[in-house]
């Protein structure tokens, strides 16, 4: 009986000793910290690794994470300077630098950081209108970080970054902004279209101008070449006439042969016979009745066969007859009253 009681007592003492040793040894993971109170007062902060405490005297509090933490706060309604309510969603990046201050200086540092972020955000955004709020995220972030870092320093926290995740204006404002953006895009499209059309017209006008200049240059060159050709042709004819020394009777004959062509026009209802026609007729008649002086045109030619001579005589007779008929027609047309 005594042996059994002694055995039970020994077992209890052994279990108590094991439990005491377990309570005396505390292992803290890396990037963690635990605060220790001895008899109700702060004693020390356990660092990562193996730590020994006095059981039943030292009280070890839950561990505190020393790594950088990310907290996303739910959207908060904020009134801008132009009295518009916007929903702003923020993200906070912070890190615990002093576990003792984070545990003893503030009851709940996460809740404190959230409320401080909301109040600071309302103060910052309240001094901006909607357009500036939407386009000044960097300014809002820097102001929030400055205020939060200054206020949370005594709590053993360090605010690394504050980011505005979303800014949601009212639905009516969204629709108005979409209409404005659509109008801006239409305006830019119209401006680009007008610029393109203007540039196209300028290029077309430049092309027409260059084409007209080239066309005028071509016409001028062609006119110059044509005039030079006509000048050379007239000069050649003039030189040929002077080289051959034509007889005046031959010129009179050519004058008479040209008269029928002048009378063949459709609008020649009234034709005045020039006074030189009498002299021309006298020259022609004299040319056929008298012998011509020796000249390059009347020099004797080598004898030809009979057919060639007969043909030449027929051509001469036909020419003389045509000249006589032309003279007669001209005289008859001169005797007719005007308009007949």
């Amino acid at each position: 009986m005594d042996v059994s009681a002694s055995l039970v007592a020994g077992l209890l003492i052994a279990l108590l000793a094991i439990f005491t040793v377990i309570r005396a040894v505390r292992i803290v993971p890396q990037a963690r910290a635990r605060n220790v109170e001895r008899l109700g007062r702060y004693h020390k902060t356990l660092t990562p690794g193996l730590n020994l405490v006095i059981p039943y005297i030292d009280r070890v509090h839950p561990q505190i994470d020393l790594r950088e933490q990310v907290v996303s706060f739910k959207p908060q309604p904020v009134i801008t300077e132009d009295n518009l309510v916007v929903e702003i969603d923020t993200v906070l990046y912070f890190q615990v630098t002093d576990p003792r201050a984070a545990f003893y200086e503030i009851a709940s540092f996460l809740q404190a950081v959230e409320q401080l972020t909301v109040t600071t955000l309302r103060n910052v955004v309240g001094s901006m209108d909607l357009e500036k709020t939407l386009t000044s995220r960097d300014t809002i972030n820097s102001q929030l970080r400055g205020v939060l870092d200054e206020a949370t320093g005594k709590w053993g926290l360090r605010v690394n970054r504050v980011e505005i995740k979303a800014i949601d204006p009212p639905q009516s404002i969204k629709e108005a902004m979409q209409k404005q953006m659509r109008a801006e895009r239409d305006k830019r499209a119209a401006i680009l279209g007008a610029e393109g059309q203007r540039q196209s017209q300028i290029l077309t006008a430049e092309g027409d101008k260059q084409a007209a200049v080239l066309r005028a240059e071509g016409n001028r060159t062609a006119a110059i070449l044509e005039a030079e050709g006509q000048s050379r042709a007239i000069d050649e004819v003039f030189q040929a006439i002077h080289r051959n020394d034509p007889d005046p009777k031959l010129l009179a004959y050519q004058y008479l042969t040209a008269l029928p062509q002048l009378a063949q026009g459709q609008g020649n209802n009234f034709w005045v016979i020039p006074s030189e026609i009498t002299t021309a007729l006298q020259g022609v008649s004299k040319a056929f009745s008298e012998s011509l002086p020796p000249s390059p045109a009347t020099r004797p030619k080598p004898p030809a066969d009979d057919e060639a001579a007969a043909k030449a005589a027929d051509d001469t007779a036909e020419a003389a007859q045509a000249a006589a008929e032309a003279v007669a027609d001209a005289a008859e047309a001169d005797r007719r009253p005007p308009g007949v």
Side-chain angles (χ1 to χ4, degrees):
M1 190 73 177
D2 295 334
V3 175
S4 299
S6 300
L7 182 61
V8 171
L11 291 176
L12 291 176
I13 293 172
L15 292 175
L16 181 61
I18 294 173
F19 182 74
T20 301
V21 171
I22 293 175
R23 291 289 303 270
V25 176
R26 297 299 173 93
I27 298 176
V28 180
Q30 183 66 34
R32 307 290 196 282
R34 302 185 71 174
N35 294 317
V36 178
E37 293 180 354
R38 179 169 293 179
L39 299 177
R41 298 182 62 180
Y42 172 78
H43 176 62
K44 67 176 181 179
T45 299
L46 301 181
T47 58
L50 181 63
N51 296 272
L52 297 177
V53 296
I54 300 176
Y56 313 113
I57 297 177
D58 293 340
R59 179 185 177 187
V60 180
H61 290 281
Q63 62 184 7
I64 299 175
D65 196 342
L66 301 180
R67 296 173 296 177
E68 184 175 7
Q69 302 181 41
V70 181
V71 180
S72 178
F73 301 127
K74 62 181 181 179
Q76 298 293 331
V78 180
I79 301 176
T80 61
E81 187 180 13
D82 48 358
N83 296 324
L84 292 176
V85 179
V86 295
E87 298 286 339
I88 299 181
D89 191 0
T90 57
V91 179
L92 182 66
Y93 297 82
F94 71 95
Q95 186 177 9
V96 176
T97 57
D98 188 358
R100 177 183 174 280
F103 187 79
Y104 291 104
E105 296 295 334
I106 189 72
S108 176
F109 59 85
L110 286 178
Q111 184 179 2
V113 168
E114 180 180 4
Q115 296 301 322
L116 182 60
T117 301
V118 172
T119 55
T120 306
L121 186 63
R122 288 176 179 174
N123 292 333
V124 173
V125 177
S127 61
M128 301 180 180
D129 56 7
L130 178 60
E131 185 176 359
K132 189 175 181 180
T133 301
L134 295 176
T135 58
S136 303
R137 293 194 177 193
D138 294 338
T139 303
I140 298 174
N141 293 338
S142 61
Q143 293 184 11
L144 281 176
R145 179 183 175 184
V147 173
L148 291 174
D149 197 13
E150 181 181 359
T152 58
K154 63 180 181 180
W155 299 340
L157 305 178
R158 183 179 63 202
V159 178
N160 296 327
R161 296 179 63 185
V162 179
E163 296 291 339
I164 302 297
K165 186 166 63 175
I167 300 177
D168 296 329
Q171 186 63 30
S172 59
I173 302 300
K174 289 182 179 180
E175 295 177 356
M177 293 172 62
Q178 290 177 358
K179 292 180 180 179
Q180 182 180 2
M181 293 176 61
R182 192 180 302 111
E184 288 291 335
R185 288 194 295 266
D186 294 340
K187 176 183 175 181
R188 293 177 184 176
I191 292 174
L192 291 177
E195 287 291 336
Q197 186 177 3
R198 173 176 172 271
Q199 191 68 21
S200 175
Q201 292 178 356
I202 291 174
L203 294 177
T204 302
E206 289 291 337
D208 294 340
K209 175 184 175 182
Q210 294 180 3
V213 170
L214 294 177
R215 194 179 301 111
E217 290 289 339
N219 293 335
R220 186 184 69 175
T221 304
I224 292 173
L225 294 177
E226 184 178 0
E228 289 180 356
Q230 292 179 358
S231 175
R232 291 181 181 179
I234 293 173
D235 184 67
E236 291 293 335
V237 172
F238 184 77
Q239 294 294 334
I241 291 174
H242 280 271
R243 284 197 304 269
N244 294 326
D245 190 16
D247 190 84
K249 297 175 182 180
L250 177 61
L251 297 177
Y253 175 72
Q254 293 292 334
Y255 181 77
L256 290 176
T257 56
L259 287 176
Q261 297 179 1
L262 295 175
Q264 289 178 1
Q266 296 181 358
N268 292 335
N269 297 327
F270 179 73
W271 189 44
V272 178
I273 299 176
S275 60
E276 292 83 355
I277 193 171
T278 306
T279 306
L281 290 174
Q282 291 177 1
V284 171
S285 62
K286 190 174 182 180
F288 284 101
S289 61
E290 298 179 359
S291 59
L292 297 174
S295 66
T298 59
R299 288 175 184 173
K301 298 181 180 180
D305 53 0
D306 296 339
E307 292 183 0
K311 186 175 181 181
D314 293 340
D315 293 339
T316 303
E318 290 178 359
Q321 185 178 357
E325 291 177 357
V327 172
D329 293 338
E332 184 179 357
D334 190 18
R335 290 192 298 268
R336 292 178 182 176
V340 179

